[in-house]
Amino acid sequence: ELNHGRVAMLAVAGWFHTAAGLHPIGDAAARTRVSDDPIIALQQLPAAGLMQVFFTLMCLEYMFTFVTPAPKDKPWDTLGMSEIVADEEKPSYKRLQLQEINNGRLAMIGIIGLIAGEVMTG
């Protein structure tokens, strides 16, 4: 759930960047100005660029699943940051973990709502 929430938070941020007209990488990949509509911008992306994005995501998923898996006792610690956190039992740290989970859940609902609203209404 935590990894999906993190991906959804990045997806929502990317959606709003594209909708705001901030897409220099997409413009460079398409070699033209892409649309500010995220669905149309995705359709304007060349197939090779889309395959590169999916290949990179698959490599990251493989790496975090098989090459460097998270510890069994701390499945949320995919980057191995628990060694540098002073006290994981501190109430402020627990509050930040709870905020990350709740924001991830909201982002998962939010990105589905953004996509559904765009597809249904155009």
Side-chain angles (χ1 to χ4, degrees):
E1 179 183 12
L2 188 58
N3 286 338
H4 290 112
R6 289 172 179 166
V7 170
M9 286 187 272
L10 287 173
V12 168
W15 185 281
F16 288 128
H17 273 264
T18 302
L22 302 171
H23 36 76
I25 296 173
D27 291 342
R31 294 190 179 110
T32 184
R33 173 114 173 106
V34 297
S35 175
D36 290 340
D37 184 347
I39 300 291
I40 295 173
L42 182 65
Q43 293 170 352
Q44 290 175 337
L45 188 66
L50 199 56
M51 286 190 296
Q52 287 175 359
V53 170
F54 284 128
F55 181 73
T56 302
L57 292 174
M58 287 188 301
C59 287
L60 288 172
E61 187 71 26
Y62 177 80
M63 183 181 75
F64 285 123
T65 304
F66 298 110
V67 180
T68 58
K72 298 290 183 202
D73 59 334
K74 299 175 185 175
W76 64 87
D77 191 19
T78 56
L79 296 177
M81 301 293 280
S82 62
E83 284 86 26
I84 61 172
V85 175
D87 184 15
E88 291 184 359
E89 298 303 320
K90 193 174 178 181
S92 62
Y93 183 72
K94 293 288 187 186
R95 185 173 41 88
L96 287 174
Q97 282 184 320
L98 184 62
Q99 286 176 351
E100 183 181 16
I101 288 175
N102 288 335
N103 289 337
R105 290 174 180 159
L106 181 62
M108 286 188 271
I109 294 170
I111 193 65
I112 293 298
L114 287 169
I115 292 170
E118 183 66 33
V119 169
M120 292 300 202
T121 61

